[in-house]
Amino acid sequence: MPPVTATLIWILVALVLIGLYLSWTAGRLDRLHARIDAARAALDAQLLRRASVAQELATSGVLDPAASIVLYEAAHAARQSEEEQREVAESELSQALRAVFAEAQQVEAVREAPGGEEAAHELTEAVRRVPMARRFHNDAVGAARRLREHRKVRWFRLAGHAPFPMAFEMDDEPPTALADRQ
């Protein structure tokens, strides 16, 4: 075999291997973006569940009028917020939940009302799941960002036209009275 042919074969093999590696990296990036989409859908579902439970509790008549108004307005704002204001609205709902359920007596008053045990349990589960869903989403975003920062991804435009993933930053600390019940 002439040296020129051997060189061309090695160049062709190297190009095929590079192409396979880039294809694998693009597939990995695509899977990360799909994971972000799934995690965002799960986060949205948990946020909606939390706002719905809070709104239902606010209109149940179990809470005092001031607490009901605060909780209802924050839950309504969280459910109706535009995407740009969603993090702020959800943080305000977290703050309202902490203000309303700052003391264990308020949780006990809810539990003693008819249907209150179930409502308190559902609210406890909702405020417990939001931080987990947000953590899963932000972990997926972090992994995609780290991969997108590699030179090979930028040089070969392996991300295509996918938007740069953004983390969901909000105050998701649960009320202490509900966190103690978990």
Side-chain angles (χ1 to χ4, degrees), residues 153-171:
V153 173
R154 290 193 318 262
W155 288 350
F156 293 101
R157 300 180 188 264
L158 298 181
H161 297 289
F164 194 73
M166 301 300 291
F168 194 86
E169 297 300 333
M170 63 172 271
D171 174 3

Side-chain angles (χ1 to χ4, degrees), residues 131-152:
M132 287 190 299
R134 189 174 74 86
R135 195 172 314 119
F136 289 141
H137 175 266
N138 288 350
D139 287 349
V141 166
R145 281 180 162 187
R146 284 189 296 278
L147 184 58
R148 287 181 69 150
E149 288 172 356
H150 290 179
R151 273 185 240 133
K152 66 180 175 267

Side-chain angles (χ1 to χ4, degrees), residues 104-135:
Q105 294 90 340
Q106 188 74 342
V107 177
E108 290 306 318
V110 169
R111 288 184 187 283
E112 292 170 1
E117 186 68 37
E118 183 180 320
H121 176 71
E122 198 171 337
L123 184 61
T124 301
E125 286 299 308
V127 299
R128 185 180 63 82
R129 289 180 179 169
V130 166
M132 287 190 299
R134 189 174 74 86
R135 195 172 314 119

